[in-house]
Amino acid sequence: GVHEHDLAGHDSRRFYPSAADWHTACTTIDEQIDQDSDCAVLETRLRTAYGRELDVLIRVTPISTAQTQRRVVAVIDLSDQKRLEQDLRLAQAHKDAFLATLAHELRNPLTPIHVATDLLHRQPDDAAVREQALGIMARQLRSLSRLIDDLTDISRISRGKLRLQKALTPLHAPLRQAVDQVMPRLKQRQQTLEVDWPAADVELLLDPTRITQVLFNLLNNASKFSPPQTVIRLQTEVTAAAVILRVADQGQGIEPT
């Protein structure tokens, strides 16, 4: 944004955001050249004639003759490179957060599957136990399959986004899966879960895997922050306009602000 005749006879101070930045750049370049370097290289920020700041690479090459000493200065705009680097860092952060979330969620179905397997080993001849255990395993394996599908979708991993797979689903299905997942913790803490099951014909357009994860996290926190041997309640309220789910526990809670 500056014509060459406006540069002749002027130092570069006006192109730096501050006098301190200009002084630091000049000192760095002089030190590199004084060390007999073929050229000095510096990454810094410059201000254009229009006031916009750019990330740049400055390369200064000293040229000496018997009569004169000159410096050839090349300035390379790094704006696109810096923007790409920022995009890559953001994609990496999204990927890390996405994988951390999935790694956490992958553990949730494994506990009820382990419990169901243990039941089958201990009571292999009990038809009711076998039916209950196989039902638990089937429900949790569906969740695992969905989570593994998420892991194989590279495009969503790079964007850090989860895909919602909405389907008309009986409300009791994700509730049952969440209860299956949290029951081992409740038994460990000798807590009782009372569930107000919705009617079998209540169906909603939802993503059952994500709703299961939300409900499990609510119930798991209720167990974690409630004393042992207490009661936790999962209540459902179906109205014409909405379905309301409430988790009530006996934890200390958080004081209102």
Side-chain angles (χ1 to χ4, degrees):
V2 180
H3 196 274
E4 61 178 323
H5 66 72
D6 291 326
L7 295 174
H10 297 279
D11 62 36
S12 58
R13 187 179 320 214
R14 59 176 167 154
F15 299 113
Y16 285 85
S18 69
D21 293 328
W22 172 78
H23 183 268
T24 298
C26 291
T27 301
T28 301
I29 291 170
D30 289 340
E31 287 175 351
Q32 291 186 34
I33 292 176
D34 289 344
Q35 293 171 2
D36 295 328
S37 298
D38 292 335
C39 66
V41 178
L42 171 70
E43 276 195 33
T44 186
R45 291 182 67 83
L46 296 182
R47 184 186 293 124
T48 69
Y50 308 106
R52 177 179 167 223
E53 290 189 10
L54 301 175
D55 291 294
V56 299
L57 176 72
I58 298 177
R59 183 182 296 272
V60 180
T61 304
I63 299 178
S64 300
T65 65
Q67 293 79 24
T68 61
Q69 289 187 344
R70 297 175 179 268
R71 292 182 177 182
V72 177
V73 180
V75 179
I76 302 172
D77 186 354
L78 299 179
S79 298
D80 290 341
Q81 176 183 324
K82 293 296 183 181
R83 198 157 37 244
L84 178 59
E85 290 174 354
Q86 177 63 25
D87 290 344
L88 290 174
R89 284 193 294 269
L90 187 60
Q92 182 66 39
H94 283 158
K95 183 188 75 172
D96 292 344
F98 183 93
L99 293 178
T101 299
L102 280 184
H104 173 73
E105 302 299 348
L106 277 169
R107 289 193 293 269
N108 295 339
L110 293 178
T111 301
I113 290 175
H114 177 76
V115 171
T117 304
D118 185 58
L119 280 174
L120 287 174
H121 281 302
R122 287 192 287 109
Q123 303 180 55
D125 299 326
D126 190 318
V129 169
R130 184 167 60 251
E131 183 178 356
Q132 178 190 9
L134 291 175
I136 290 172
M137 294 170 71
R139 288 191 294 270
Q140 301 308 321
L141 283 171
R142 282 194 294 269
S143 291
L144 275 175
S145 177
R146 167 69 184 284
L147 292 169
I148 291 171
D149 286 343
D150 287 338
L151 278 172
T152 60
D153 194 328
I154 302 300
S155 63
R156 280 186 293 113
I157 289 177
S158 64
R159 298 194 305 272
K161 294 183 178 180
L162 296 172
R163 178 180 54 183
L164 293 179
Q165 295 183 0
K166 294 183 179 181
L168 197 61
T169 306
L171 179 57
H172 67 81
L175 266 64
R176 171 58 66 187
Q177 284 189 281
V179 169
D180 288 344
Q181 292 178 12
V182 82
M183 282 306 296
R185 181 183 183 89
L186 296 176
K187 290 180 178 179
Q188 183 183 34
R189 294 176 59 80
Q190 298 181 318
Q191 294 166 329
T192 302
L193 178 63
E194 295 181 355
V195 182
D196 176 18
W197 294 103
D201 60 349
V202 176
E203 292 186 327
L204 297 173
L205 184 62
L206 51 77
D207 184 324
T209 299
R210 303 302 172 216
I211 294 298
T212 297
Q213 292 168 351
V214 171
L215 289 170
F216 168 80
N217 288 335
L218 289 172
L219 293 170
N220 189 58
N221 285 339
S223 173
K224 179 179 179 181
F225 295 106
S226 294
Q229 301 179 342
T230 54
V231 177
I232 297 169
R233 294 180 176 84
L234 173 57
Q235 302 168 325
T236 62
E237 179 183 346
V238 180
T239 70
V243 172
I244 302 171
L245 303 176
R246 296 186 180 91
V247 175
D249 59 58
Q250 299 181 39
Q252 182 176 355
I254 301 174
E255 290 293 333
T257 56

